[in-house]
Amino acid sequence: MSDDHTHVQEFFTARAADWDRRFPDDGPAYAAAVGDLGLREGDRVLDAGCGTGRALTPLRAAVGPSGVVIGVDLTPAMLEAAVRAGRDRDGQLVSADVAALPLRSASLDAVFAAGLIAHLPRPAENLGELARVVRPGGTLALFHPIGRAALAARQGRQITPEDLRAEPSLRPLLAASGWRMTSYVDEDDRFLALAVREP
């Protein structure tokens, strides 16, 4: 697993300083996805793999001043970029691995995870850790600002039925991890899978 961490950290460390400039138009997509998470005033939400913190501002707006927003990321350079962008004002930033969250069980109402699933070394186990920290009935959003086909085209590859984010793969993976998928959208300008924490 340390090799996986090293690879992920190297990948994102090299891109952290320019990340927001490379994707300047993603803000509305993040805000719309946060809106679909159904957060309420006072909720406690985790941005898992928060990167430069692009979801923190809409998450804070959704839960209000009485809510709790936590952004967790494995790569210090991404968290530093979030601070430079002033997003630490919208949520507490924590350097941690989503595979071993420093949070109490059932302490959150929701998890937002943008672009995270492709970087999980043990997806079923790691999604299970996200389930651990969410109360029964709480929600999960797996998001990407573009769909699987558009992302594959950008990266010069083909999507395959074995892709972890394909609905036939993702639905049973979530079910095995304590989640029940409630919605699945995979369009050119959005990928969003919503799930509820099973009792």
Side-chain angles (χ1 to χ4, degrees):
M1 193 145 116
S2 61
D3 289 343
D4 294 319
H5 286 175
T6 300
H7 170 74
V8 168
Q9 284 183 311
E10 286 174 352
F11 178 89
F12 285 108
T13 297
R15 293 161 175 79
D18 294 325
W19 192 261
D20 287 350
R21 282 194 294 276
R22 290 177 62 203
F23 308 107
D25 302 322
D26 287 349
Y30 272 79
V34 167
D36 287 340
L37 195 48
L39 294 168
R40 295 173 304 220
E41 182 89 20
D43 275 355
R44 298 154 299 167
V45 61
L46 170 68
D47 184 358
C50 68
T52 62
R54 291 181 293 172
L56 296 179
T57 300
L59 288 170
R60 171 56 65 197
V63 302
S66 64
V68 174
V69 178
I70 302 166
V72 168
D73 203 273
L74 186 64
T75 307
M78 292 298 258
L79 295 173
E80 290 162 12
V83 171
R84 282 195 303 276
R87 295 179 182 131
D88 56 324
R89 292 189 295 267
D90 292 313
Q92 178 186 356
L93 296 174
V94 179
S95 178
D97 183 356
V98 297
L101 290 164
L103 299 168
R104 290 188 325 275
S105 296
S107 61
L108 301 173
D109 298 294
V111 174
F112 184 87
L116 177 70
I117 194 164
H119 301 287
L120 296 177
R122 296 188 186 96
E125 186 179 312
N126 303 149
L127 289 168
E129 173 65 356
L130 296 181
R132 179 188 69 78
V133 300
V134 174
R135 63 170 174 78
T139 51
L140 168 69
L142 299 175
F143 167 72
H144 202 283
I146 61 175
R148 293 187 312 124
L151 182 62
R154 179 192 285 176
Q155 296 172 341
R157 60 179 178 81
Q158 298 286 324
I159 57 171
T160 66
E162 294 78 36
D163 180 354
L164 205 55
R165 293 184 304 149
E167 186 173 7
S169 301
L170 188 57
R171 187 177 293 276
L173 175 63
L174 286 167
S177 307
W179 299 100
R180 177 176 52 83
M181 187 189 291
T182 57
S183 173
Y184 181 91
V185 176
D186 183 15
E187 300 166 346
D188 280 351
D189 60 352
R190 164 185 246 217
F191 175 89
L192 182 64
L194 297 174
V196 171
R197 174 73 171 95
E198 294 281 42

